[in-house]
């Protein structure tokens, strides 16, 4: 029997693609091997959102060459966002021509065929098709990372073309799955023990299926699924979020009181150059609406510092919006030019030193706010969906609250009796990135 191992970089779309790939390989009889250095087949599922990913990727790729010497049947596949860039495929073909299979984000369903061709003919296989009309999502039988929670694609691709972002080039044009298809998939997942679903799309708010169903319609339909406990989604786009969607935080009891709402910058001038189609006033109005409908809602965000042309004044506007919103958490990034995107050609790139200095100031502010927001949980009882044993210390478990707060807690229960369950925890300590407590 042959074994397989998957190395996944990047976002939840990639994680879910890896779950689907694992499902296909297990259907072919491959068995999972945690350690890629002991596997007969290695899949590298890559990300290209930021630049350092390229260097790391080629470094790891180079190291796999020695596997070919020790195991003559060893097969290496590269997939995900990297091979969607022609220059990356050229480089693989030139410098790493021994890579067996390369396939694109819209060619995942072809993997069994590519593997067979590779074995039969001994020839390298390359399959990268843009805007593949056939998305085989319904035929997939993913091997899930967690038994109790599942990732569910609702849209593929992105049409927004934010000027810094490579995703519209690597994942193609936006396509929405039919509402009924998504509901069917979630019903099957619930029958299989799933309690929480994460609806995935680059911009879930622009979801629209062929019958005209909106994202709010989809949430309302998923909320009706008996046995499902929690609904999450990501990512929202402030330009497309609707009042009807915001009202779902009140009307849909399964919808978790949490939203990831990337702001990217607090400066109107920079938001315009980023092609984001909203300004700070509109963004703050959305936050007010969310809090009016759902006072307990937790809000997280993505912020880019050092976007071309960003001045100290622009950056201060970003600090200001962060202070106004008071985010529960934030992912902060230093702008990284991606070849092929408009912003990479902007002439006024910000110096590295300035970027790092701003980045540090932003992180300090965001961490301070996160800690303050977590402090109010001291002594409170929260409900946690348990993911499993905590990674950091023994005899502790970890899980998430409805508002996506990470909770590490002690319990007398055995792992098999608590993982995947909703439990009550009393919070005894609050930190910047987590809450600590004890099961009640
Ligand atoms: N440079 C820095 N950050 C980026 N992101 C996307 N593209 C870039 C880039 N070129 C960030 C955005 C996005 C998150 C997933 O990654 O903040 O929301
Ligand atoms: Fe990239 Fe903007 Fe699309 Fe998000 S919405 S994937 S940031 S282009």
């Amino acid at each position: 029997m042959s074994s397989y191992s998957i190395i996944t970089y990047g976002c939840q779309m990639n994680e879910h693609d890896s779950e689907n790939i694992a499902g296909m390989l297990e259907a072919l009889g491959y068995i999972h091997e945690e350690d890629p250095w002991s596997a007969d087949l290695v899949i590298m599922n890559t990300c290209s959102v930021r630049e350092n990913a390229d260097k790391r990727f080629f470094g790891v790729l180079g190291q796999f060459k020695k596997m070919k010497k020790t195991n003559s049947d060893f097969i290496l596949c590269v997939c995900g966002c990297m091979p969607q860039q022609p220059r990356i495929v050229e480089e693989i073909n030139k410098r790493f021509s021994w890579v067996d299979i390369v396939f694109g984000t819209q060619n995942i369903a072809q993997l069994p065929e590519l593997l067979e061709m590779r074995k039969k003919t001994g020839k390298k296989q390359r399959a990268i098709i843009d805007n593949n009309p056939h998305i085989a999502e319904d035929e997939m039988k993913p091997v899930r990372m967690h038994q109790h929670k599942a990732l569910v694609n609702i849209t593929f691709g992105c049409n927004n073309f934010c000027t810094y972002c490579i995703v519209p080039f690597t994942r193609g044009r936006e396509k929405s799955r039919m509402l009924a298809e998504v509901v069917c998939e979630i019903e099957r997942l619930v029958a299989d023990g799933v309690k929480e679903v994460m609806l995935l799309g680059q911009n879930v708010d622009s979801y629209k299926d062929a019958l005209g169903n909106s994202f709010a319609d989809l949430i309302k339909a998923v909320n009706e699924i008996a046995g499902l406990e929690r609904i999450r989604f990501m990512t929202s786009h402030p330009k497309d979020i609707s009042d009807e969607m915001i009202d779902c935080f009140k009307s849909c009891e399964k919808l978790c009181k949490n939203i990831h709402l990337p702001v990217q910058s607090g400066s109107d001038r920079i938001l315009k150059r980023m092609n984001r189609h909203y300004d700070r006033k509109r963004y703050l109005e959305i936050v007010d609406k969310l809090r009016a409908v759902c006072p307990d809602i937790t809000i997280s965000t993505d912020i880019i510092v050092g976007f071309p042309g960003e001045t100290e004044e622009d950056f201060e506007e970003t600090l200001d919006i962060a202070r106004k919103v008071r985010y529960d958490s934030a992912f902060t990034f230093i702008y990284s030019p991606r070849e092929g995107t408009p912003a990479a050609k902007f002439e006024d790139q910000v110096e590295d030193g300035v970027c790092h200095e701003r980045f540090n100031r932003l992180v300090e502010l965001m961490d301070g706010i996160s800690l303050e927001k977590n402090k109010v949980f001291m002594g409170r009882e929260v409900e946690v969906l348990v993911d499993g044993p905590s990674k950091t210390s023994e005899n502790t478990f970890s899980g998430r609250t409805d508002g996506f707060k990470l909770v590490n807690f002690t319990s007398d229960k055995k792992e098999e009796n608590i993982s995947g369950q909703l439990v009550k925890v009393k919070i005894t300590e609050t930190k910047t990135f987590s809450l600590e407590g004890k099961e009640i």
Side-chain angles (χ1 to χ4, degrees):
M1 275 239 222
S2 297
S3 61
Y4 77 95
S5 193
I6 307 180
I7 307 171
T8 309
Y9 299 92
C11 67
Q12 276 151 323
M13 314 270 162
N14 266 18
E15 270 175 34
H16 189 48
D17 285 347
S18 289
E19 292 181 334
N20 283 335
I21 291 168
M24 283 188 287
L25 294 174
E26 295 196 6
L28 292 174
Y30 282 88
I31 46 171
H32 181 244
E33 164 61 59
E34 192 62 41
D35 175 17
W37 302 102
S38 307
D40 302 303
L41 169 67
V42 168
I43 312 267
M44 284 182 73
N45 191 359
T46 61
C47 167
S48 42
V49 168
R50 280 169 292 275
E51 196 182 19
N52 56 7
D54 288 26
K55 288 180 198 131
R56 219 171 25 157
F57 162 64
F58 284 118
V60 178
L61 196 56
Q63 289 173 36
F64 274 108
K65 189 166 188 187
K66 53 179 179 276
M67 297 280 284
K68 288 257 166 206
K69 291 202 183 97
T70 50
N71 177 357
S72 57
D73 293 330
F74 178 73
I75 291 182
L76 182 68
C77 304
V78 173
C79 64
C81 287
M82 288 273 189
Q84 293 295 136
Q85 299 162 264
R87 70 180 171 90
I88 299 276
V89 180
E90 272 167 37
E91 194 158 346
I92 294 175
N93 290 340
K94 217 159 68 196
R95 285 177 53 210
F96 306 89
S97 61
W98 46 270
V99 173
D100 298 281
I101 298 173
V102 181
F103 61 99
T105 50
Q106 297 175 56
N107 297 78
I108 289 174
Q110 275 165 270
L111 177 58
E113 206 181 304
L114 295 167
L115 273 170
E116 199 185 319
M117 288 296 282
R118 170 69 185 89
K119 286 181 186 162
K120 235 192 215 156
T121 65
K123 290 198 180 119
K124 313 268 178 287
Q125 303 294 317
R126 307 285 184 255
I128 295 119
I129 304 175
D130 283 337
N131 288 320
N132 193 341
H134 177 64
I135 295 175
E137 194 66 14
D138 268 9
E139 296 151 31
M140 294 292 174
K141 295 193 174 53
V143 175
R144 289 197 309 277
M145 252 177 324
H146 292 283
Q147 281 313 299
H148 62 284
K149 58 182 194 182
L151 303 168
V152 176
N153 284 325
I154 65 163
T155 66
F156 303 94
C158 183
N159 286 350
N160 298 298
F161 292 94
C162 301
T163 53
Y164 51 82
C165 186
I166 198 148
V167 170
F169 305 94
T170 62
R171 294 240 166 211
R173 294 293 61 72
E174 184 181 285
K175 299 176 197 81
S176 295
R177 288 176 78 192
M178 295 302 289
L179 178 145
E181 204 181 290
V182 174
V183 168
C184 260
E185 180 178 337
I186 299 174
E187 283 171 346
R188 283 198 306 270
L189 289 165
V190 170
D192 194 36
V194 165
K195 296 200 169 128
E196 177 183 303
V197 288
M198 168 76 91
L199 308 175
L200 292 178
Q202 301 297 343
N203 172 358
V204 288
D205 297 298
S206 61
Y207 172 90
K208 199 168 199 66
D209 78 359
L211 293 174
N213 289 302
S214 67
F215 183 49
D217 295 329
L218 178 66
I219 292 180
K220 286 175 200 165
V222 175
N223 192 59
E224 294 300 312
I225 299 174
L228 183 68
E229 304 262 4
R230 287 176 166 188
I231 306 167
R232 300 189 188 280
F233 59 84
M234 104 184 286
T235 297
S236 299
H237 197 312
K239 89 178 163 68
D240 291 316
I241 195 166
S242 69
D243 288 350
E244 204 188 345
M245 191 278 123
I246 295 175
D247 286 336
C248 289
F249 282 108
K250 197 175 232 127
S251 61
C252 298
E253 75 287 354
K254 293 177 185 171
L255 187 61
C256 288
K257 296 180 175 53
N258 166 247
I259 189 165
H260 184 64
L261 193 64
V263 65
Q264 311 296 4
S265 168
S267 150
D268 287 346
R269 207 177 63 82
I270 297 294
L271 286 170
K272 213 175 195 118
R273 294 189 100 198
M274 287 177 162
N275 195 32
R276 291 288 290 176
H277 293 280
Y278 55 85
D279 56 16
R280 53 185 284 129
K281 182 164 163 280
R282 167 81 185 124
Y283 187 92
L284 289 168
E285 269 167 24
I286 296 167
V287 169
D288 285 347
K289 260 188 208 158
L290 284 163
R291 288 192 169 137
V293 168
C294 182
D296 299 337
I297 197 163
T298 54
I299 305 179
S300 60
T301 199
D302 290 341
I303 298 178
I304 298 176
V305 297
F307 184 80
E310 185 189 73
T311 61
E312 177 60 24
E313 289 71 41
D314 293 318
F315 175 65
E316 275 168 21
E317 297 263 275
T318 297
L319 295 176
D320 181 70
I321 207 165
R323 280 190 208 103
K324 288 206 164 81
V325 177
R326 300 193 73 243
Y327 292 103
D328 289 86
S329 65
F331 296 93
T332 44
F333 307 102
I334 290 179
Y335 169 72
S336 156
R338 307 310 295 128
E339 201 179 301
T341 62
K345 290 191 223 85
F346 291 176
E347 277 172 8
D348 38 7
Q349 303 286 326
V350 180
E351 254 176 65
D352 274 3
V354 175
C355 287
H356 281 97
E357 185 262 341
R358 286 181 191 162
F359 180 81
N360 293 341
R361 280 157 68 198
L362 181 63
V363 169
E364 196 182 333
L365 172 70
M366 296 319 245
D367 285 358
I369 297 172
S370 295
L371 182 62
E372 274 175 33
K373 295 217 88 169
N374 280 351
K375 273 187 182 157
V376 302
F377 284 89
M378 190 65 190
R380 274 202 210 167
E381 276 177 28
V382 294
E383 192 177 51
V384 174
L385 182 59
V386 185
D387 287 330
S390 143
K391 288 188 188 87
T392 45
S393 55
E394 268 181 60
N395 303 324
T396 60
F397 295 92
S398 68
R400 298 269 178 182
T401 65
D402 178 301
F404 208 59
K405 297 280 178 189
L406 174 65
V407 181
N408 298 310
F409 64 96
T410 53
S411 162
D412 300 331
K413 293 199 181 118
K414 288 214 168 76
E415 185 192 338
E416 54 274 26
N417 299 329
I418 196 169
S419 284
Q421 302 296 316
L422 281 160
V423 301
K424 293 254 189 289
V425 174
K426 187 173 170 101
I427 302 302
T428 53
E429 197 186 339
T430 58
K431 297 182 173 175
T432 307
F433 303 112
S434 65
L435 305 173
E436 316 280 308
K438 189 176 183 330
E439 190 192 359
I440 306 165

